[in-house]
Amino acid sequence: AFLGAFALMFAMGILVYALPLKVDALGFGSATTGMLMSAFGLVAILLFVSPANRLSDHLGRTKPAVWGLAFIAAALLVLGAAGAQPALWGAMVAFGTGFAMVFPAMAALVVDETRSEERGRAFGLFYACFSLGVIAGSLLVGALDATPDQGFLTGALGIAAMAMALLVTGRRGTQRIVDRGPAPASTRQI
């Protein structure tokens, strides 16, 4: 859950840093950046309030999160390669879709793996990973002095690596449950 939260906001940090630079380089102006960010947010909100937000209840927590991160990585690749507005809009729709897949699955995983008396601390750590992800994403791209396109590529590669790590750790957790049954509540890990 913490890795998923970190990955989600790592991508967001890169997006917030590089998107305005990319839009400016293409000559579209700051209003376009605002509309693109609004499109991402609107898509995410629409999916949050739709029945799609319960996808992880039906498919498990890992699959929607990994697919969501794949959508985000693809969106970052498209943003890096885009030279026209339609590609930017499509990438932001994909980014919003990925965001709406990852967040509910990871939040539900925190609930699944903690006792009620541990949830406050667990969610505190979960949101700390959000903050660290935003800082790490923008800091990394800024420290590399990368062009927006290089920043998006760096982000896509980082998100793909984190999606693979989430897939591996999610499979190990599933295998543990299948082999031995669920861990006692006192030994569960997030």
Side-chain angles (χ1 to χ4, degrees), residues 161-184:
M162 287 184 253
M164 295 305 292
L166 186 61
L167 184 62
V168 169
T169 58
R171 282 192 178 158
R172 271 194 275 166
T174 302
Q175 190 60 43
R176 175 186 50 81
I177 291 169
V178 169
D179 290 345
R180 292 177 246 143

Side-chain angles (χ1 to χ4, degrees), residues 41-167:
L42 185 61
V43 168
I45 289 169
L46 289 174
L47 290 173
F48 282 148
V49 299
S50 77
N53 77 350
R54 302 196 48 89
L55 198 59
S56 68
D57 293 340
H58 302 291
L59 299 176
R61 307 306 185 207
T62 304
K63 284 181 185 178
V66 169
W67 277 103
L69 291 176
F71 270 91
I72 290 170
L76 293 175
L77 284 175
V78 171
L79 286 169
Q85 279 200 34
L88 295 173
W89 286 98
M92 294 308 285
V93 168
F95 197 99
T97 301
F99 192 96
M101 292 174 76
V102 175
F103 183 79
M106 295 298 92
L109 185 59
V110 172
V111 172
D112 291 349
E113 295 297 324
T114 57
R115 295 187 311 259
S116 60
E117 62 270 12
E118 298 173 322
R119 283 213 188 104
R121 183 175 44 138
F123 272 107
L125 291 170
F126 182 72
Y127 288 110
C129 289
F130 262 56
S131 297
L132 291 173
V134 170
I135 293 166
S138 56
L139 184 65
L140 174 68
V141 175
L144 292 174
D145 197 27
T147 66
D149 296 346
Q150 292 167 336
F152 287 131
L153 177 60
T154 300
L157 294 174
I159 294 300
M162 287 184 253
M164 295 305 292
L166 186 61
L167 184 62

